[in-house]
Amino acid sequence: MSEDKAKLDGQAWFTLSGDVNSDMVHRVFEAAAEMSEDGIEVAHILVQSNGGYVSDGLCLYNYLRNLPLKVVMYNGGAVASIAVILFLAGEERYASATARFMVHKSHASAPSGARPETLRVIVEGLHADDQRTESILHERIKLSQKHWDTHNYTDLHLTAQDAHSVSLVHEIRDFRPPKGKRLRNI
C-alpha cells in the first residue's frame, strides 16, 4: 500500500444538507454509528444549511464535538443560523472562497392573539437560545466588537475571508474527496 493511500485509511467523506431539525439529528446519529462500525477516525463533512431549530443544532454540536473521532467541516456554499454552530463542531473547519456564513439572533413567531404571558415565555426562550449559541461563538471564534454590534441588531454576514479572519475557518479550502474514495450523503 502506498504511503498516500495509507494516510487516507480511516478517513471518510460526507455531505450533509438541509434544515437542522430532528430528521438531521437522526441522520447524523445513524451515520456516526456506521462510522464507528467502519473504524473511521476522521470524518470530512461538507455542510449546506440555512439553519433550523436551535435545540437540534446544539444537540448535534455537542454530539459531534464528543465523538471519538476527528470531525473536519467544510462550507462550500452557505451555512447560516444554527448551522453555524453545527459547523463549529469541527475540530478543523474550511470554506470555499465563494462560501458565505450568516449569524443571527434566534427568532420565533407568536400565535395570532397571543396573550402577554405567552409572549413573555417566547421571549425568555429566545434569550436562553441566544445565550447558549453566543457562548459557543465566544468560545470558538474571535468576532470583533464591530461584528458583535452588528450581530446585536441585524444579521451578520461573513465571506469566507471574513470567516478566516475571525477563526471561524482555519483555511480557505474546497471540499475535495480523494479520487476513488466513497462519498456518502448523510
Side-chain angles (χ1 to χ4, degrees):
M1 177 180 316
S2 76
E3 186 178 326
D4 286 340
K5 185 158 175 73
K7 279 198 269 185
L8 296 177
D9 284 347
Q11 297 191 48
W13 284 260
F14 303 89
T15 58
L16 176 63
S17 64
D19 293 337
V20 178
N21 57 25
S22 60
D23 177 59
M24 181 182 279
V25 170
H26 179 74
R27 293 184 345 243
V28 170
F29 285 178
E30 280 189 355
E34 288 178 19
M35 287 181 228
S36 177
E37 290 171 12
D38 293 344
I40 302 301
E41 297 172 3
V42 180
H44 299 266
I45 304 172
L46 173 65
V47 177
Q48 174 70 31
S49 177
N50 290 322
Y53 296 101
V54 171
S55 59
D56 293 322
L58 290 170
C59 174
L60 288 173
Y61 171 82
N62 290 317
Y63 181 71
L64 291 171
R65 294 267 303 150
N66 292 295
L67 283 175
L69 59 93
K70 180 179 183 178
V71 175
V72 181
M73 292 290 200
Y74 299 82
N75 175 359
V79 171
S81 188
I82 192 61
V84 172
I85 300 301
L86 169 63
F87 182 82
L88 284 169
E91 188 176 326
E92 293 179 20
R93 300 176 303 274
Y94 304 100
S96 297
T98 56
R100 299 291 181 266
F101 294 87
M102 192 266 289
V103 183
H104 65 75
K105 296 235 181 236
S106 301
H107 60 272
S109 57
S112 178
R115 300 179 57 87
E117 181 62 22
T118 302
L119 296 173
R120 185 184 63 73
V121 169
I122 291 170
V123 169
E124 287 174 359
L126 292 172
H127 283 299
D129 285 348
D130 286 343
Q131 287 177 337
R132 295 184 304 170
T133 57
E134 288 176 8
S135 70
I136 293 168
L137 292 171
H138 278 289
E139 175 187 317
R140 305 282 301 186
I141 62 177
K142 300 173 182 114
L143 292 175
S144 69
Q145 187 58 51
K146 183 178 177 184
H147 288 125
W148 282 112
D149 291 344
T150 300
H151 173 66
N152 282 329
Y153 296 103
T154 189
D155 298 344
L156 175 61
H157 295 268
L158 300 170
T159 65
Q161 193 59 44
D162 295 335
H164 181 260
S165 72
V166 299
S167 301
L168 177 56
V169 297
H170 296 107
E171 187 177 312
I172 307 298
R173 180 192 305 175
D174 288 319
F175 178 75
R176 286 199 174 117
K179 188 174 183 172
K181 285 299 255 184
R182 181 177 171 211
L183 179 61
R184 303 174 202 175
N185 188 40
I186 297 176

